[in-house]
Amino acid sequence: MTDLCAEDLATIYAKPTPRVIAKARPAIDTHARKFIEMSPFCVLATSGTDGSVDASPRGGGIGFVHVAGPNQLLMPDRAGNNRIDSFRNVVEGSGFVHLLFFVPGIDETLRVGGRGTLSADPDLLASMVEFGKPPRAVLSVAVSEVYFHCGKALMRSKLWAPEKVQRSVMPSITEVIHEQTGLGEPQSQDVVEALYKTQL
């Protein structure tokens, strides 16, 4: 297999149309705001000091990411595995972040890029209580680029199709990690889901 170089790409892909270039906006407009306010899930991408990239799923109630203004988003951080790879990248790495928002039932996605900072201000945390708990920190994104992404990938994957994979085809996450590492206790999926509900 031969790796492609930059010059090869131009022979494979046509130039993007003017509309594709122009759709990248410098701020959150009415349409982007509506999409974010309907979204219960996004993926947060960050980059580290060594050039590594981390992508982390983030979710909450509908509209869990707050639109504080045309160039500011506020994302509360809920209980997780405490690796905090994303947040280390924000405070130690480039600081650049990129968010990919999903809305169930809509094939298009929304991409938002900017620079992130973190806050643990008590008043800010208290304003974002969800699932009966305040967040541990809040990611503030100074937004510099916003654009909608076409729905082809989700249409190809049939992500929102009613047919679902049965959870029983995979062992629980604790069973997987126990088998991989020998650490912790393997628990059934029912037990894992019950624990999750107390840790949201």
Side-chain angles (χ1 to χ4, degrees):
M1 184 176 70
T2 303
D3 293 342
L4 297 176
C5 64
E7 291 75 18
D8 296 325
L9 297 178
T11 68
I12 300 172
Y13 298 96
K15 288 184 178 180
T17 65
R19 186 170 73 165
V20 168
I21 300 299
K23 74 177 181 177
R25 314 307 298 165
I28 299 167
D29 67 3
T30 302
H31 303 293
R33 182 184 188 109
K34 181 176 182 179
F35 199 91
I36 294 167
E37 290 176 345
M38 293 190 298
S39 175
F41 177 80
C42 68
V43 176
L44 168 65
T46 59
S47 56
T49 54
D50 59 355
S52 62
V53 176
D54 181 77
S56 175
R58 302 294 166 125
I62 292 172
F64 77 103
V65 175
H66 301 249
V67 181
N71 290 99
Q72 187 184 24
L73 291 179
L74 298 173
M75 175 190 287
D77 182 53
R78 305 296 172 190
N81 59 19
N82 294 321
R83 282 182 56 116
I84 57 174
D85 297 313
S86 300
F87 287 171
R88 287 193 194 283
N89 287 346
V90 168
V91 299
E92 298 174 357
S94 71
F96 289 112
V97 303
H98 207 92
L99 297 163
L100 181 62
F101 287 94
F102 294 77
V103 174
I106 297 179
D107 288 327
E108 290 74 24
T109 53
L110 180 71
R111 297 170 64 153
V112 179
R115 188 175 285 274
T117 55
L118 292 174
S119 175
D121 177 78
D123 291 337
L124 181 60
L125 301 184
S127 72
M128 294 189 171
V129 172
E130 190 177 12
F131 309 108
K133 304 171 188 174
R136 298 174 299 174
V138 174
L139 172 66
S140 176
V141 180
V143 174
S144 57
E145 183 180 56
V146 183
Y147 62 95
F148 282 95
H149 200 102
C150 77
K152 293 175 186 173
L154 271 68
M155 291 174 72
R156 292 183 190 115
S157 68
K158 299 181 181 178
L159 186 63
W160 308 130
E163 300 82 20
K164 300 286 188 273
V165 173
Q166 294 299 310
R167 184 61 185 82
S168 58
V169 303
M170 280 287 291
S172 74
I173 187 170
T174 60
E175 290 168 334
V176 169
I177 294 173
H178 178 76
E179 185 174 324
Q180 291 172 334
T181 67
L183 300 174
E185 292 298 322
Q187 299 161 312
S188 70
Q189 183 62 25
D190 289 342
V191 171
V192 170
E193 289 181 5
L195 287 171
Y196 278 167
K197 290 176 182 177
T198 68
Q199 299 168 355
L200 294 176

